[in-house]
Structures are given as C-alpha cells and as structure tokens.
C-alpha cells in the first residue's frame, strides 16, 4: 500500500560443515500494521534430516510444516503439514530388521478430498515383498485406488520378480 509503513527484523543462525548443516531463520515483519512472524529451520547430517517452517499473521498460523527423520541405524520419520484451510497432511515411516511401513493422510477440505497412502516392505531370506496403496478419494469413494504389489527373489546370480499394478478395477500382472 503506498505510504504504508513496513519493517523487518530477522535473525539467521547457521553452522555449515562438511557433513553437517544447521540453518535457522527467525523473522518478524510489520506490513503496514499486519504482524507476520516466520520461523524456519533445517538440520541435516548423515544421521538425520529435520525441517520446520512456521508462518503466522496477526497470531494466526497459516503455515506449519514439521519433518523429522533419522537415517541410521533404523530409518524412520514423521511429517506434519498444515496450510490453513487448504491442506493438512500427516505421515510416518519406519524400517528395521528388513521390515518397513509407511502411511500418509492428506486432507484437502476445499474440494472435500481425503487421500490415504500406505506401504509395507518385508524381507525374509532372499525374498522382498512390497505393497503400496493409494486411495485418492478415500472418504467419498474408496474404490478410487492405485495398488502396486511386488514379490521379488534376489540372489547373487538372479532376480525373479512378480509385480501387479491395479488401477480402479483394472489389473496388470499375474
């Protein structure tokens, strides 16, 4: 707005090394009377990846993003996203001793759409079994889905895999 008063104040903290990154930005803006507060952070190293973003306008949160992951020895993580009135999402994954699982739930209220994704991976001996499923209209019509299944036998000299892809009521594979 012409003639308005605008100001910004920010603090950046950083520690960047060969295999380590820690970066944070905290800021406050005054946009002609509208108070904006922004907080971000990124931490990455061989063991983890964490990221946050939070934005508020006049005390109301419009963006809230939080990702926390660990890489070794047992990969796992969580994700939470809230984009006020537009999208919310939450998910998690974990993997240990050749067994893994993941899920993601997304809600888009403006179009009344809920999306759900699940996955699993199980290894035993030379065999790996993978199952993924995406319900892209989970609440209104759960038949709207994509499913991928794979059973693979992996040895030093061969790979034998059986895969199935299903979209709606159509199936491709054995």
């Amino acid at each position: 707005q012409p003639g308005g008063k605008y100001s910004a104040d920010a603090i950046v903290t950083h520690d960047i090394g060969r295999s380590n990154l820690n970066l944070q930005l905290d800021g406050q803006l005054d946009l002609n009377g509208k108070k904006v507060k922004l907080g971000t952070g990124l931490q990455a190293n061989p063991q983890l990846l964490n990221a946050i973003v939070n934005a508020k306008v006049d005390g109301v949160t419009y963006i809230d993003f939080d990702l926390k992951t660990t890489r070794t020895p047992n990969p796992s993580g969580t994700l939470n996203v809230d984009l006020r009135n537009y999208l919310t999402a939450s998910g998690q994954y974990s993997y240990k001793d050749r067994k893994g699982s993941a899920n993601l739930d997304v809600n888009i209220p403006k179009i009344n759409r809920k999306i759900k994704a699940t996955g699993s991976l199980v290894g035993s001996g030379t065999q790996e079994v993978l199952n993924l499923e995406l319900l892209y209209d989970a609440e209104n019509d759960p038949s709207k889905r994509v499913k991928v299944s794979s059973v693979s036998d992996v040895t030093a000299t061969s790979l034998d895999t059986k895969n199935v892809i299903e979209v709606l009521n159509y199936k491709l594979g054995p």
Side-chain angles (χ1 to χ4, degrees):
Q1 181 175 6
K5 183 177 178 186
Y6 304 92
S7 65
D9 185 21
I11 297 174
V12 176
T13 307
H14 62 87
D15 179 10
I16 301 171
R18 184 174 175 97
S19 61
N20 185 53
L21 170 68
N22 190 346
L23 181 62
Q24 295 180 356
L25 166 71
D26 292 306
Q28 296 179 358
L29 305 167
D30 185 338
L31 304 175
N32 201 31
K34 291 246 186 232
K35 304 289 185 198
V36 178
K37 187 172 183 179
L38 179 65
T40 64
L42 176 63
Q43 182 182 21
N45 61 46
Q47 289 80 36
L48 57 84
L49 172 65
N50 296 329
I52 61 167
V53 177
N54 185 277
K56 294 181 180 183
V57 178
D58 290 335
V60 177
T61 300
Y62 283 87
I63 299 172
D64 193 5
F65 174 92
D66 189 0
L67 172 69
K68 290 185 168 95
T69 67
T70 58
R71 296 181 181 163
T72 57
N74 302 311
S76 65
T78 59
L79 171 69
N80 288 295
V81 179
D82 188 348
L83 305 178
R84 183 177 168 86
N85 298 329
Y86 288 98
L87 179 139
T88 58
S90 64
Q92 66 81 32
Y93 75 94
S94 63
Y95 185 80
K96 181 179 181 180
D97 298 329
R98 296 185 67 197
K99 291 184 173 94
S101 65
N103 67 55
L104 178 66
D105 294 326
V106 179
N107 183 18
I108 309 169
K110 290 209 180 264
I111 61 171
N112 192 29
R113 177 70 53 103
K114 291 191 178 178
I115 300 166
K116 293 187 179 283
T118 58
S120 67
L121 175 64
V122 177
S124 178
T126 60
Q127 194 171 72
E128 302 288 335
V129 178
L130 171 72
N131 289 297
L132 302 171
E133 184 172 46
L134 175 68
L135 304 174
Y136 54 92
D137 197 1
E139 200 162 88
N140 296 323
D141 188 354
S143 70
K144 292 181 178 176
R145 69 182 185 120
V146 175
K147 186 175 180 181
V148 176
S149 302
S150 177
V151 178
S152 300
D153 192 25
V154 182
T155 68
T157 58
S158 69
L159 169 63
D160 180 21
T161 184
K162 293 174 181 62
N163 303 297
V164 177
I165 299 173
E166 298 175 52
V167 178
L168 299 170
N169 295 323
Y170 303 98
K171 186 176 179 180
L172 176 64

